[in-house]
Amino acid sequence: MNGSIKIPCEWSKQEEVWLAWPVQEKWWPNLRRECEEAFSKLVSAISEFERVRIICPENKIESVKSSVGPRSGVEYFKCETNDVWCRDSGAIFGFSEGGLAALDFRYNSWGGKFPPWDKDDALAEKMALETKARRIRVDGFVCEGGALEFGENGTLITTESVVLNPNRNPGATRESVERLMEKICGVSKICWLKGGLANDDTDGHVDNIARFAPGGKILACVCPQGNPSKRNLDENLETLKNFSDARGKKFDVVPLPLPEPAVCFPDGSTAPASYANYLAINGAVIVPQYGGRKTDFEAREIIKSAFPGREIVGLECGIFLREGGAVHCLTQQRPSLQ
């Protein structure tokens, strides 16, 4: 590790959004056509507002181009990956010494759950080289982009169930992580949430439960009785209401419902579906939708109020959720130096 990096808020001006194409047959088995159509719609939605960089092996580029169609504002990065969740394995872009920088944590597929992950662990370095970003490798710490929600004035929200999990960082404490984040990212205040959504393979990523928004807001997920995430979300809500920035200013905590009725996996268990897994881009916010739930419209209106002046684009994410994520999990933004 050498140097530090400033991570801008997601709603800052962006240069492009990266995502990895689902090229392996083991991903979305028996749903390949539906999967590629969903990814094409995601690319289409983002490229209306800014450039998209698609990660895929060189020998797959022509077939991916055929799926995406003739669309301007789409470029390709020749690279192999183990999986598609670019938010977690890819570089976390920011600024250092007046230029672009890329934070590169160790990656172990959410605590060693889905081997192999060697190509994914190498992805951040390759993204840094491609963008000529200054790479800051943190060799002694395992983490994913979806576990860290960066706000203004040196604030961060994360979860103990991920960052302090022995399957990633045995022996880590709040204090040791706070010292590290202050050193590498200039973070001065961390809001520690206990855990995330039930049945989340990530062990509880924060980008499914609490997100910063402009104007000192935090969108915090809530759910009704009977949802297996109820206890965690209630406790998180109280923690967030008591969180303040480095200047002692409290945040305006806005409840954001989980999809209702709850989205379920084929076996009947509750899936970690969340509207908080949105992506803020230039002039718009891409918001997950879940098959016409009664909360789909409500969530769009809440996010629209939190991001005034931006177009709210709803994107059906049921197919993505089959593998455990949604819009934010699949993407990684590169901020603009301008």
Side-chain angles (χ1 to χ4, degrees), residues 160 164 172-179 190 192-194:
E160 293 183 357
L164 303 186
T173 64
R174 281 189 177 191
E175 292 73 21
S176 65
V177 173
E178 287 170 358
R179 288 194 299 270
I190 297 181
W192 287 96
L193 305 180
K194 289 288 186 181

Side-chain angles (χ1 to χ4, degrees), residues 47-117:
S47 65
E48 289 291 326
F49 300 90
E50 64 184 85
R51 184 169 65 241
V52 178
R53 187 84 66 102
I54 298 176
I55 305 164
C56 66
E58 185 173 8
N59 65 351
K60 298 288 186 179
I61 287 180
E62 291 307 314
S63 65
V64 175
K65 285 183 177 179
S66 177
S67 294
V68 172
R71 179 167 294 280
S72 62
V74 178
E75 297 183 1
Y76 295 85
F77 177 54
K78 302 170 186 177
C79 180
E80 294 187 3
T81 61
N82 301 112
D83 215 328
V84 295
W85 308 106
C86 184
R87 174 69 51 181
D88 293 344
S89 58
I92 301 173
F93 288 111
F95 306 117
S96 177
E97 299 180 354
L100 187 68
L103 193 56
D104 179 6
F105 292 115
R106 286 185 55 221
Y107 175 79
N108 73 351
S109 190
W110 312 287
K113 293 185 179 68
F114 305 104
W117 56 79

Side-chain angles (χ1 to χ4, degrees), residues 10-27:
E10 189 171 301
W11 57 87
S12 302
K13 186 179 179 181
Q14 296 173 11
E15 192 69 27
E16 62 186 3
V17 169
W18 291 64
L19 61 84
W21 195 263
V23 295
Q24 295 196 29
E25 293 298 323
K26 67 179 181 179
W27 303 333

Side-chain angles (χ1 to χ4, degrees), residues 151-330:
E152 297 174 294
N153 303 316
T155 51
L156 173 72
I157 311 174
T158 191
T159 56
E160 293 183 357
S161 58
V162 173
V163 177
L164 303 186
N165 198 312
N167 65 12
R168 292 168 173 83
N169 300 300
T173 64
R174 281 189 177 191
E175 292 73 21
S176 65
V177 173
E178 287 170 358
R179 288 194 299 270
L180 177 66
M181 290 298 170
E182 182 177 12
K183 181 178 181 180
I184 64 173
C185 303
V187 169
S188 55
K189 288 294 292 289
I190 297 181
C191 181
W192 287 96
L193 305 180
K194 289 288 186 181
L197 298 184
N199 302 321
D200 187 347
D201 284 335
T202 71
D203 300 311
H205 271 181
V206 71
D207 66 354
N208 258 346
I209 55 174
R211 304 290 305 281
F212 286 112
K217 292 184 174 65
I218 296 175
L219 303 186
C221 288
V222 296
C223 63
Q225 294 290 345
N227 190 301
S229 298
K230 173 69 172 172
R231 181 174 179 180
N232 272 357
L233 296 188
D234 284 354
E235 183 174 344
N236 289 345
L237 187 64
E238 291 306 309
T239 300
L240 290 164
K241 286 179 178 179
N242 291 311
F243 181 53
S244 58
D245 65 20
R247 299 170 298 182
K249 185 177 180 180
K250 293 285 184 67
F251 288 88
D252 177 12
V253 180
V254 180
L256 180 66
L258 291 186
E260 183 63 26
V263 184
C264 293
F265 287 125
D267 66 3
S269 62
T270 302
S274 174
Y275 301 111
N277 212 261
Y278 60 77
L279 175 70
I281 57 176
N282 295 337
V285 184
I286 312 297
V287 179
Q289 303 285 271
Y290 297 100
R293 258 61 181 178
K294 65 182 181 182
T295 42
D296 281 5
F297 175 77
E298 181 184 358
R300 294 200 307 272
E301 290 299 297
I302 291 170
I303 293 171
K304 180 178 180 180
S305 179
F307 288 88
R310 296 190 186 226
E311 185 173 339
I312 304 302
V313 180
L315 187 76
E316 177 57 42
C317 287
I319 190 72
F320 301 140
L321 192 62
R322 290 288 191 100
E323 293 288 340
V327 176
H328 199 252
C329 299
L330 290 166

